[in-house]
Amino acid sequence: MLTLLLAAVVAVPQSPLSTDRVALDSELDLRVHRQTSPLVALRLSSPVPTGLPEGSVELLQELARADTEALAHRFGVALELRHDPGRAVITVSGPEAAFDAMAAILRRATGEPDLSVASLRRARARAESRVLARLEQPGPRLRGLLHHGVHGGREPLGAEATGLPPEAIRRIRSRLYDPARLRVVLVGDVPDPVIRSAFARWPGVGDPGGPIVVDSPAVAARPQAHREWGGLAFPVEADPAVLAVTAELVRHRVARSALRYGTAEAWPDPAPVLFVLGAAAPGDAEVRTSAGISELPVRDSVDVAPDDMRRYLRRLVAEAAALTGPAAVERARAAVRRRLLLEARTASGKAEIIGRVADAVGAGVSPDAYLDRVDSVRAAEVRALLTRVLETPAVTAEAR
């Protein structure tokens, strides 16, 4: 009994998001969070190279969907294929006994695409629908416009990749799914030898070839007219943890504003950006009046058009800066940590959080270290960041 009590005293609980790196015979960066659970999750992410035609991620994912969904259904595995701003993400989760099948799904999703006539016709139609849905919904469209504005590239006009020939699609796959660019996060209790065996002989990329030329017109998105949407993106040099806490403070202020909808987000990947989004009914009197009258030190930039919505969003950022104090920052820190840990309650959620943190802060910083950094963010750091934000010319976008 005494021995058991001593063991309980000295036992150190596992950190909630700790990871170990597993060396593979390929260039894949694979991180493992060990936890005893009947479920296992795998998350693969790849940054989208600049210059790819709009819809490239959706087209490759749809080309792989039929085979990967068939495998997922056969082994009782959940599968998600999605395109986050600037990043392709594939997540699978299921019973530990299906781990080999889950790894095979990732291999199939990133391997040589099925470019048969029927497969290509089906994938083109589905990818086009996904791209247009993303470009026609104001929130996702603004995110895409601002991401392009901050990180370079052309404005997303439509589903450009859906008209490309097979050889161009192969070149896109070689660039997007180069193993040296991929990060995989595994959550579960899988022995290292089993992991190495499942990820052995990862498919190569072949010759990426020359430039990818779009010689057919893109299917353009339809304009919006039901509301006024505006977005600001402030590219700033910032510690990702400070950026997250700052975004939470701004989000709280925006949520309490007169807007019909509004939010603020931290975009740390691939470079730090504070993003603020708002929507109001056309001609909203309160937004129009508040945009032009403010006693707060709102610094206007020649790069920011004098649009009511964008002026109002900028004012809300300034108000968040004026209201920043130790108590407000403490609440924001707790909210960021709580959201991360709530999302990490499931194996797939934990894989998503670990992968997202690794994408944002790099593989050399553990998610636990990131959580500790969030807990140490101080009001002075947040105020300094918001000061830089208000002095930074914003990338702007709107949808009507």
Side-chain angles (χ1 to χ4, degrees):
M1 179 66 70
L2 179 59
T3 303
L4 291 176
L5 287 174
L6 288 174
V9 170
V10 300
V12 178
Q14 183 191 30
S15 298
L17 298 175
S18 61
T19 59
D20 301 317
R21 191 174 191 276
V22 175
L24 302 173
D25 64 357
S26 70
E27 296 178 277
L28 283 177
D29 177 18
L30 193 149
R31 303 279 165 166
V32 180
H33 173 80
R34 316 272 179 186
Q35 70 172 23
T36 302
S37 169
L39 292 178
V40 170
L42 283 166
R43 177 192 187 268
L44 179 145
S45 67
S46 173
V48 180
T50 57
L52 290 188
E54 193 69 29
S56 295
V57 172
E58 287 84 356
L59 181 58
L60 284 175
Q61 289 181 346
E62 294 305 323
L63 283 167
R65 185 178 294 278
D67 287 349
T68 54
E69 285 188 343
L71 267 176
H73 179 73
R74 177 182 174 188
F75 289 95
V77 170
L79 168 66
E80 181 184 27
L81 304 166
R82 72 175 194 268
H83 181 189
D84 292 346
R87 192 167 289 273
V89 180
I90 305 169
T91 304
V92 287
S93 60
E96 184 180 345
F99 173 74
D100 285 341
M102 293 161 62
I105 288 172
L106 293 186
R107 183 183 293 108
R108 176 64 191 87
T110 57
E112 281 292 328
D114 176 6
L115 296 174
S116 62
V117 173
S119 172
L120 195 52
R121 181 184 299 118
R122 179 177 59 246
R124 282 171 170 162
R126 291 181 176 179
E128 181 179 294
S129 296
R130 283 177 59 186
V131 171
L132 293 185
R134 172 163 54 82
L135 296 182
E136 290 174 356
Q137 296 174 30
R141 176 166 174 75
L142 285 179
R143 285 177 175 85
L145 287 170
L146 291 171
H147 187 275
H148 280 264
V150 171
H151 300 298
R154 296 171 294 108
E155 177 181 339
L157 300 175
E160 299 171 317
T162 57
L164 293 176
E167 57 270 20
I169 297 172
R170 290 190 181 96
R171 288 199 292 272
I172 291 173
R173 177 256 163 188
S174 296
R175 296 178 189 179
L176 180 63
Y177 292 139
D178 182 346
R181 301 167 57 83
L182 302 183
R183 173 172 290 116
V184 178
V185 172
L186 163 63
V187 173
D189 189 16
V190 181
D192 283 3
V194 176
I195 296 173
R196 293 191 182 95
S197 175
F199 284 91
R201 297 175 298 281
W202 191 264
V205 296
D207 181 8
I212 299 166
V213 179
V214 178
D215 55 6
S216 58
V219 180
R222 296 182 295 270
Q224 294 293 314
H226 60 293
R227 278 187 176 180
E228 292 182 355
W229 291 73
L232 303 177
F234 299 92
V236 288
E237 289 297 322
D239 181 318
V242 178
L243 183 67
V245 175
T246 303
E248 178 62 28
L249 277 170
V250 177
R251 186 202 65 76
H252 181 72
R253 177 66 196 96
V254 172
R256 293 172 62 86
S257 70
L259 295 173
R260 303 294 181 92
Y261 170 77
T263 190
E265 300 170 4
W267 287 0
D269 174 39
V273 179
L274 175 67
F275 165 63
V276 188
L277 170 69
D284 192 305
E286 185 168 358
V287 170
R288 184 171 61 251
T289 303
S290 299
I293 302 173
S294 175
E295 297 178 357
L296 293 164
V298 180
R299 297 175 175 85
D300 288 323
S301 166
V302 294
D303 293 331
V304 179
D307 175 82
D308 287 349
M309 171 63 68
R310 286 177 280 180
R311 287 176 60 84
Y312 187 47
L313 291 175
R314 195 174 183 88
R315 177 197 172 185
L316 295 176
V317 176
E319 290 179 350
L323 297 172
T324 295
V329 171
E330 182 178 356
R331 289 192 296 269
R333 289 197 310 257
V336 171
R337 183 182 181 89
R338 181 173 62 251
R339 188 177 299 117
L340 284 172
L341 295 181
L342 282 176
E343 289 186 52
R345 287 180 299 177
T346 64
S348 57
K350 187 168 287 188
E352 174 66 22
I353 291 298
I354 292 172
R356 197 187 308 162
V357 170
D359 291 342
V361 302
V365 178
S366 72
D368 282 317
Y370 175 74
L371 278 177
D372 291 342
R373 179 68 184 102
V374 166
D375 289 337
S376 70
V377 172
R378 296 292 176 260
E381 295 176 288
V382 175
R383 281 194 296 268
L385 177 55
L386 283 172
T387 297
R388 294 204 306 274
V389 165
L390 291 170
E391 294 172 346
T392 300
V395 176
T396 66
E398 61 184 24
R400 285 189 169 92

